[in-house]
Amino acid sequence: MAGEWSDPRSFDEESLNDFDLWTTRAALESLVDEALGDALIRRGLRREDLSPEDAREALQANESLLAKLRMLQDQVAAEGSAAFRPRTRPANLGEVGWLILPVLFAVGYLTMLVLAWQAMPLFLKIFTTLALPGGVAAVFARVSRRVSALSARFTTGTVEFGEEQLGLGHRREFALQEIVLPEIRNYVVAHRRLHYGTKLVFGEQRDLYEEESDRIVPTPAAKRLRRILDRAGSGAVALGGQRGSGKTTAIHSLRRGLIHGTENPAPLVVVASAPANYDARDFVLHLHGLLCRTVLDRLREDLPFIADWRTWLRRGVRRLAGLIASAAAAWGLGGWLWDGPFLHFPAELWHLLRQVHFPDLIDPLWTVQPTGNRIALVVLALLTLYQTGRLLALPIDALTAAVRRKRNAGLHELHADAHRQLDRIRYLQTHTSGWSGKLLFPAGADFGRTRSTQRAEQQLTHPEVVAEFRAFAEQAAEQLREGGITERVVVAIDELDKIGEQDKAQQLINDIKGIFGVPGCLYLVAVSDDAVLSLEQRGLAVRDALDSAFSELVRLEPFTLDESRLWITQRLPGVPEQFCHLGHCLSGGLPRDLRRTTIDMVDVTAERYQPSLSAVTALLIREELKAKANAFIGQARVLKQTTELAELWTNLLRIPETHESVELAALAAELHEGATNDIGDPVNLLRHHSSAFVFFCATVLELFTDALTEDRLTPSLHQLAIARRHLALDPHLAWSTLTDFRKAHDVGLPGES
């Protein structure tokens, strides 16, 4: 039945039997056609060698996409949009009236102009004549628009189905940007052209070294954060995840307007880094100052400039000078072209204009005039039109500015208040004023008096600082929303997870949580894994400062295998899939480590031409072994020297010198030999960490060789990335994961013959 709806712009009476479903399909087809016409989408389809027709067919057959549009249509209908049922009918009286009204206005204007022409002074004749072409053009434009809109009302049989009748109303752009375009991008990603090979080749590098890139991987956490921004009016949200999972990237992407809905403007984002050694009062003052500066920057961009009286005076003087200059130019050029004495040009021109009678304008001003007079009249008319427009624009601009100032009075008040608040935060204000006088009397007597006052603003206490911040934040959120600049103010506190002691981090949140809960302000706080664990224990008999401060938790997980592949291919187009899998496994899917690993792979190509997978893996593993061996040896130096540590020390020194996978596996077995479950013993813990890491490197070396073909690139390789994450958290679990992985892939275990 879909073939019967191939043209979303027309239908017949049979389509009315299932009109709701037809409307949804018609809306989907219209939106898909518009989305496929986007230049970026077309470029992406060409880059991946995908057919627009195949994409259109796949999207129109997407039942999930159809259901989303149907729900959106129901929302629009519930908001009060009148349902549309197409039918052939004549135009109603109101529509015809809107067509006749401009015509009646034009006829009335011309009639009044003819009747009042003789009684009008010269300047009014000139003004009405100059305004005539503009009025005629406006009437013509109005009539043409109404005629095109009414033409469908008089058709019979098939009726044109306009975009306004697709049931989306004012949410059509939302449907395009938030529903259809993401599905097309997902289609391009899912059907992108994959490259396989064991030679490291790629196209032009894109944003590889840029921390703040526009190429964002749409992870579930990013989508959830976007939903929170759309629905949350206030509150505090904890942004969790281990180090390197992208919390800072998410905050800065939010600040740059990359994570928000298309129906609302980008939020006003204030980003502050949590101090390691803090004072709660000073930190709130720091937030207050950042908020003031951010508000001022946003108003500088979006608030229209309002000129003061000095600007208007200078503008009026310039317009007057221009008028005098134009009059002089018109006299000089017109007098030179005029058929008569130069000095008599103004008088003769005045005499000619007084003889002109409307509507007979062509004969006295053009037909009977010599060529020089015609040119002079044309020049004079052009200069008159130009200067009339400039002079009329001045009062219009002044009126517009007055209306704009009144409409944006709240924003201007906010601008001034932000300056005052910022000055108050920065400086200790001191104001001194006084007067003195002296009165002389005869015989040398005198009388004098001096008076002075000094005012020094006292330091605010912490509760007062919090109250001041809340008041200004609420005012900023309200005024920015009413002014149409943004719907929400977001205060993001980053790097709280870098505070070493969990008690200090909780104390900081406990001290500043008084600023939370401001209407129109949303707070995002990057917290540590311990804080995430605390928040996930809600409902148990455990409650701390974090539990009482945050209303929601968004956890940023490491990339999945597909997300890592997408991240790498966005920056290294054409890179073989084998190297994408290698980057994911070595980084564990952590975005920060994935960037570093990808950069290291690119650096290999600076020394070797199209290096092989085995060579790249060997070089990366060698650097990893050197770095971690130094770390292990550094840890061993601070431990108490024992016989067990001496034996372990010998094996640790062998790590950077061992390069083959078999030798590394044997070394891992030696490091792990004698390990116990006593994690309280630092030597035993060091044995577990070093052995698990060497075991991981041996497994990667043995797997990522030039023999790694396309059929061996399975999702099970993700277990290596999981083992990589476990190395920093639980080396016992990492060893167990690696053992299971090697068994599943028929890779021999250390010590097996």
Side-chain angles (χ1 to χ4, degrees):
M1 190 168 182
E4 299 178 11
W5 295 323
S6 59
D7 182 7
R9 301 292 299 174
S10 63
F11 58 90
D12 51 30
E13 295 293 337
E14 297 179 359
S15 302
L16 298 178
N17 296 332
D18 194 1
F19 179 77
D20 292 332
L21 179 60
W22 184 92
T23 301
T24 307
R25 290 189 178 275
L28 177 59
E29 293 185 18
S30 176
L31 292 171
V32 168
D33 288 340
E34 182 175 348
L36 290 176
D38 183 78
L40 293 178
I41 296 297
R42 293 200 309 269
R43 192 179 306 122
L45 292 173
R46 287 196 303 268
R47 184 176 60 249
E48 303 299 340
D49 197 20
L50 298 175
S51 169
E53 288 73 21
D54 294 341
R56 180 182 292 105
E57 183 178 352
L59 291 170
Q60 291 175 359
N62 190 330
E63 294 297 332
S64 175
L65 184 58
L66 197 67
K68 292 178 182 178
L69 284 179
R70 183 61 181 272
M71 289 189 292
L72 185 61
Q73 288 176 327
D74 292 342
Q75 293 176 8
V76 173
E79 291 173 358
S81 300
F84 172 77
R85 286 296 182 270
R87 57 189 182 275
T88 56
R89 60 177 178 82
N92 58 38
L93 183 61
E95 293 167 340
V96 176
W98 279 109
L99 177 63
I100 296 176
L101 186 61
V103 178
L104 293 177
F105 174 77
V107 173
Y109 181 84
L110 291 174
T111 303
M112 293 178 61
L113 191 60
V114 172
L115 295 177
W117 183 262
Q118 296 295 336
M120 287 191 297
L122 180 60
F123 77 91
L124 192 55
K125 292 180 180 180
I126 297 175
F127 177 77
T128 53
T129 303
L130 294 175
L132 183 59
V136 173
V139 170
F140 178 77
R142 180 69 178 178
V143 171
S144 63
R145 287 196 299 267
R146 297 307 302 177
V147 168
S148 61
L150 293 174
S151 59
R153 299 297 189 184
F154 298 94
T155 57
T156 58
T158 300
V159 179
E160 289 297 318
F161 195 83
E163 296 291 346
E164 66 275 6
Q165 290 102 23
L166 292 180
L168 297 175
H170 65 283
R171 317 257 343 241
R172 187 186 188 284
E173 186 64 21
F174 172 84
L176 176 65
Q177 298 293 335
E178 301 295 331
I179 298 179
V180 177
L181 280 176
E183 288 293 337
I184 294 182
R185 297 189 186 101
N186 292 338
Y187 174 84
V188 173
V189 170
H191 296 81
R192 70 182 186 273
R193 182 171 50 187
L194 303 180
H195 303 270
Y196 296 94
T198 57
K199 297 291 185 182
L200 182 53
V201 292
F202 48 85
E204 181 183 1
Q205 301 177 26
R206 302 170 180 170
D207 299 343
L208 183 58
Y209 294 90
E210 296 182 10
E211 291 288 343
E212 298 185 359
S213 172
D214 293 342
R215 307 179 191 277
I216 296 179
V217 177
T219 61
K223 296 177 181 177
R224 183 180 177 186
L225 185 58
R226 186 172 185 175
R227 292 193 296 269
I228 291 175
L229 290 174
D230 289 338
R231 69 171 180 257
S234 62
V237 177
L239 201 61
Q242 65 185 101
R243 292 283 185 88
S245 59
K247 297 187 291 293
T248 300
T249 301
I251 289 175
H252 286 284
S253 298
L254 178 63
R255 177 178 58 82
R256 295 165 56 222
L258 300 180
I259 305 179
H260 71 95
T262 57
E263 288 191 304
N264 299 322
L268 180 78
V269 182
V270 180
V271 180
S273 297
N277 296 318
Y278 79 96
D279 178 80
R281 176 184 172 279
D282 292 341
F283 185 61
V284 175
L285 282 175
H286 175 61
L287 283 178
H288 198 162
L290 287 177
L291 178 59
C292 291
R293 283 188 287 269
T294 307
V295 167
L296 291 174
D297 292 340
R298 190 65 173 268
L299 291 178
R300 192 178 298 113
E301 296 176 0
D302 298 340
L303 187 61
F305 172 75
I306 303 297
D308 55 10
W309 66 270
R310 299 180 183 86
T311 304
W312 288 111
L313 180 60
R314 289 192 297 267
R315 190 177 300 179
V317 171
R318 287 196 297 268
R319 297 287 172 88
L320 181 59
L323 178 62
I324 296 174
S326 296
W331 189 355
L333 186 59
W336 177 64
L337 295 171
W338 194 259
D339 187 15
F342 179 82
L343 298 178
H344 293 174
F345 168 66
E348 293 182 4
L349 178 63
W350 176 263
H351 181 70
L352 175 63
L353 293 177
R354 288 178 60 87
Q355 294 179 349
V356 173
H357 298 283
F358 187 84
D360 186 15
L361 302 175
I362 298 178
D363 287 342
L365 293 178
W366 190 262
T367 305
V368 301
Q369 296 296 329
T371 302
N373 290 12
R374 295 178 184 178
I375 298 175
L377 290 173
V378 169
V379 171
L380 184 63
L382 294 176
L383 288 175
T384 303
L385 284 173
Y386 174 71
Q387 290 299 331
T388 301
R390 284 175 57 84
L391 291 176
L392 290 178
L394 192 61
I396 294 176
D397 291 343
L399 180 61
T400 304
V403 174
R404 189 185 300 121
R405 177 180 289 276
K406 184 176 181 180
R407 185 174 63 246
N408 297 324
L411 294 178
H412 286 283
E413 180 182 354
L414 176 63
H415 186 275
D417 195 26
H419 272 295
R420 289 193 297 268
Q421 297 272 358
L422 192 58
D423 290 339
R424 187 180 185 186
I425 294 169
R426 283 178 172 176
Y427 306 109
L428 180 65
Q429 297 176 345
T430 301
H431 173 73
T432 302
S433 63
W435 60 267
S436 63
K438 192 172 187 180
L439 182 61
L440 297 178
F441 292 94
D446 61 5
F447 173 79
R449 182 181 181 183
T450 301
R451 177 184 179 184
S452 65
T453 60
Q454 185 175 19
R455 179 175 61 89
E457 185 171 329
Q458 299 298 317
Q459 294 285 344
L460 299 178
T461 63
H462 179 63
E464 292 173 331
V465 168
V466 171
E468 291 282 342
F469 178 86
R470 290 181 60 90
F472 180 74
E474 183 175 0
Q475 175 194 3
E478 180 181 359
Q479 295 297 341
L480 292 174
R481 182 175 60 254
E482 292 180 356
I485 293 180
T486 184
E487 287 290 323
R488 186 164 294 105
V489 174
V490 177
V491 179
I493 302 176
D494 194 12
E495 300 183 356
L496 184 66
D497 55 341
K498 294 183 180 180
I499 298 180
E501 300 178 16
Q502 179 65 15
D503 293 340
K504 289 186 177 181
Q506 291 194 7
Q507 185 62 40
L508 174 60
I509 294 299
N510 196 46
D511 289 342
I512 69 171
K513 69 180 182 181
I515 65 176
F516 296 167
V518 177
C521 293
L522 180 68
Y523 294 83
L524 290 178
V525 183
V527 298
S528 62
D529 283 339
D530 293 337
V532 171
L533 179 61
S534 173
L535 290 170
E536 290 176 344
Q537 291 177 342
R538 290 183 174 182
L540 305 177
V542 178
R543 184 174 177 84
D544 56 15
L546 297 177
D547 184 24
S548 60
F550 298 112
S551 58
E552 195 167 353
L553 167 66
V554 177
R555 182 178 178 85
L556 275 69
E557 300 290 348
F559 283 161
T560 63
L561 178 57
D562 288 337
E563 290 169 349
S564 293
R565 292 164 58 205
L566 177 59
W567 190 95
I568 295 176
T569 54
Q570 284 179 340
R571 289 154 178 81
L572 300 178
V575 67
E577 288 293 304
Q578 283 88 334
F579 293 92
C580 295
H581 285 69
L582 174 62
H584 177 69
C585 294
L586 287 179
S587 65
L590 289 176
R592 181 184 301 165
D593 292 341
L594 182 62
R595 178 186 298 276
R596 293 170 179 171
T597 303
T598 307
I599 292 175
D600 291 339
M601 286 194 296
V602 173
D603 288 343
V604 176
T605 62
E607 302 292 337
R608 302 188 181 189
Y609 175 72
Q610 295 186 358
S612 65
L613 179 62
S614 298
V616 172
T617 305
L619 288 172
L620 295 182
I621 291 297
R622 186 178 306 170
E623 294 300 322
E624 286 277 342
L625 289 171
K626 288 181 181 179
K628 293 300 186 294
N630 291 331
F632 294 144
I633 293 173
Q635 293 179 14
R637 285 197 183 101
V638 301
L639 299 179
K640 183 179 180 181
Q641 297 299 317
T642 62
T643 303
E644 182 184 4
L645 180 60
E647 296 176 357
L648 179 60
W649 188 284
T650 303
N651 290 328
L652 292 178
L653 293 175
R654 292 170 52 195
I655 292 178
E657 305 300 329
T658 308
H659 301 148
E660 299 298 329
S661 60
V662 177
E663 297 175 355
L664 281 172
L667 178 59
E670 294 181 26
L671 288 167
H672 193 264
E673 185 178 357
T676 65
N677 294 328
D678 183 12
I679 60 175
D681 183 5
V683 176
N684 186 63
L685 187 60
L686 179 59
R687 186 184 298 276
H688 277 292
H689 277 291
S690 59
S691 60
F693 177 75
V694 174
F695 195 24
F696 170 78
C697 292
T699 306
V700 172
L701 270 179
E702 194 159 354
L703 185 65
F704 286 92
T705 65
D706 293 343
L708 185 61
T709 55
E710 175 184 347
D711 58 321
R712 297 176 60 189
L713 294 174
T714 61
S716 62
L717 293 179
H718 181 60
Q719 294 300 317
L720 273 180
I722 295 178
R724 175 65 164 147
R725 299 174 203 165
H726 292 335
L727 288 176
L729 303 175
D730 189 348
H732 302 273
L733 186 57
W735 183 278
S736 176
T737 303
L738 290 169
T739 302
D740 295 339
F741 177 85
R742 293 175 73 97
K743 289 179 179 179
H745 289 78
D746 296 328
V747 181
L749 296 176
E752 293 184 348
S753 58

